[in-house]
Amino acid sequence: MVQIIAGEKGKGKTKFLLEKVNAAVQAANGNIVYLDKSQKHMYELSNKVRLVNVMDFPITNCSEFMGFICGIVSQDHDLEELYLDSFLTIANMQEDEISHAIEKLDIISEKYHVKIVLSVSMDKEKLPECAKAKVIISL
């Protein structure tokens, strides 16, 4: 299942995402991974969450990012949840690629039973139709 937290930059999406991931730790039986564009939130996350700074890797486009996600999922059979903060930034994605990326993430999520939560710096109304139904909070 893919879920989206949508809202313009500066609306508080990261705060909500951090609260959600820290709450998920309490109920999780498997591993949780949090992808971000820096190490900035390291001390706000539970020590049971694996923080990955995507900017440490040479990812230059959406296809490479999807390969990166597949690598994370393939190496951890106990992966339960995957949180992606600043999704458009860490994926080096243009707005017109969102539909394709969400379709791919849906396939990965369903096949490997991994819950994926995205933070997208975009107003809900500007999201493609396939993404609007996945929005759990719009700020």
Side-chain angles (χ1 to χ4, degrees), residues 102-121:
I102 289 176
E103 287 173 13
K104 293 287 186 187
L105 290 173
D106 259 336
I107 292 168
I108 293 166
S109 175
E110 293 298 317
K111 185 170 184 175
Y112 298 102
H113 310 289
V114 176
K115 177 180 170 184
I116 300 174
V117 182
L118 313 173
S119 162
V120 180
S121 291

Side-chain angles (χ1 to χ4, degrees), residues 22-108:
N22 285 328
V25 168
Q26 307 304 321
N29 294 319
N31 297 326
I32 298 176
V33 175
Y34 187 93
L35 302 181
D36 204 350
K37 61 185 178 197
S38 70
Q39 301 286 99
K40 180 179 172 184
H41 301 292
M42 180 186 333
Y43 299 109
E44 296 170 69
L45 286 168
S46 166
N47 64 350
K48 295 177 182 168
V49 176
R50 180 171 170 221
L51 173 63
V52 177
N53 179 356
V54 178
M55 298 306 168
D56 287 344
F57 299 89
I59 297 170
T60 58
N61 59 48
C62 184
S63 294
E64 290 177 358
F65 182 74
M66 287 301 147
F68 184 73
I69 295 293
C70 288
I72 289 172
V73 172
S74 71
Q75 65 86 34
D76 187 350
H77 295 286
D78 292 329
L79 183 63
E80 237 177 71
E81 299 184 26
L82 188 58
Y83 291 82
L84 290 75
D85 196 5
S86 305
F87 177 60
L88 299 176
T89 303
I90 64 175
N92 283 305
M93 185 180 309
Q94 303 304 317
E95 289 182 12
D96 61 337
E97 296 175 299
I98 294 173
S99 296
H100 177 71
I102 289 176
E103 287 173 13
K104 293 287 186 187
L105 290 173
D106 259 336
I107 292 168
I108 293 166

